[in-house]
Amino acid sequence: MKSIRCDDIDLACVDTGPPAGGGPTLLLVHGFPLSHAMWASQVDALRGVCRVVAPDLRGHGASPQGEWPGGEAPSLARHADDLAALLDGLGVNGPTIYCGFSMGGYIAWPFLERHGERLTGLSLIDTRAAADDDVARATRLKMAEGVAAWGAARVAELMRPKLFGPEADSSVVDATTAVIAATAPRSIAASQRAMAARPDATPRLPHIDLPTLVVCGEHDAISTAAEMRGIAAAIPEARYAEIAGAGHMAPLERPAEVNAALRSFVAEIA
Ligand code: MLT
């Protein structure tokens, strides 16, 4: 793992594969409340094809949360700015493909708005463009309020039924549960508040002028296949890959299929 200064904190990341200067860099942005570890299989599969950067977002994995000047929890735009600073710190200034899973996909929207000129490709995996409805927003805010008392292990219990498809391997379930349970309650609260506040990105979709790969697990209960097919249909240069048998955690549940889709996408736009 590298440690790169990004504004007020050092962001931890994996940085591997051929050095910059040749092909593109693939930036893998994890979901909530996870870490770069969710991408282990993708890092292994793609490091021979391109440079792969997989950070721990602020407050997740080995990256600290920071002090929040003014007391405001970090927004999704704050994470987007951290990622741009990370790319600068790593000297990545050539073609870059942003690949965001779930919350990492929600961060893609402010990244496109603020740093979109850096990108030559986009991959959206098990994620959403729509904002939360009132019920989902209230559920997030309830967790944000309660998590300090409940503990992160309770969050893992609450999330588990929605994360996996019917055939998920128990080792994948256990490893994901352990990462969630190890996340600081303060970071869980911050991410829930940031996700609750995110605007609807659907009107942006027809204006995305990047080759885009949309990937979704067949049984995803958080970002459904029907919704993700709609995202792919609305983005002019998008293609769609549905991962049979997988739930929300498709990159972990069906790594070979997700890696094959990413590999051919990267090769195509390199
Ligand atoms: C994630 O996997 O990042 C979260 O489940 C996203 C969400 O809570 O909407």
Side-chain angles (χ1 to χ4, degrees), residues 31-32 34 101-104 106 140 159 163 192 195 222 248:
F32 163 83
L34 302 169
F101 167 80
S102 201
M103 184 177 76
Y106 307 162
R140 288 194 196 282
M159 289 184 70
L163 290 180
Q192 286 289 38
M195 289 190 285
I222 295 175
H248 185 62

Side-chain angles (χ1 to χ4, degrees), residues 47-224:
R47 70 202 309 169
V49 176
C50 61
R51 185 174 180 182
V52 182
V53 174
D56 284 343
L57 292 167
R58 177 183 288 265
H60 298 265
S63 294
Q65 181 62 261
E67 287 309 320
W68 310 351
E72 275 278 296
S75 62
L76 297 180
R78 166 76 273 174
H79 288 299
D81 291 351
D82 283 347
L83 293 170
L86 176 74
L87 294 174
D88 286 342
L90 290 170
V92 175
N93 43 32
T96 302
I97 302 166
Y98 184 112
C99 174
F101 167 80
S102 201
M103 184 177 76
Y106 307 162
I107 296 168
W109 310 126
F111 191 95
L112 281 169
E113 203 169 287
R114 299 157 84 90
H115 310 288
E117 73 289 346
R118 307 185 75 121
L119 299 183
T120 46
L122 176 68
S123 180
L124 300 166
I125 304 191
D126 295 280
T127 191
R128 307 188 64 198
D132 287 343
D133 62 21
D134 289 345
V135 173
R137 198 172 296 118
T139 305
R140 288 194 196 282
L141 297 178
K142 187 172 166 207
M143 184 182 287
E145 288 296 317
V147 63
W150 307 346
R154 174 84 185 119
V155 171
E157 289 304 315
L158 289 169
M159 289 184 70
R160 197 158 50 192
K162 285 197 148 187
L163 290 180
F164 303 99
E167 297 152 27
D169 195 277
S170 63
S171 63
V172 163
V173 176
D174 291 349
T176 306
T177 302
V179 173
I180 297 174
T183 305
R186 179 170 176 258
S187 300
I188 290 175
S191 291
Q192 286 289 38
R193 290 189 200 288
M195 289 190 285
R198 74 189 198 281
D200 181 13
T202 310
R204 301 178 51 93
L205 300 177
H207 306 289
I208 294 175
D209 59 354
L210 291 169
T212 302
L213 170 68
V214 178
V215 177
C216 189
E218 179 190 11
H219 303 295
D220 190 331
I222 295 175
S223 38
T224 64

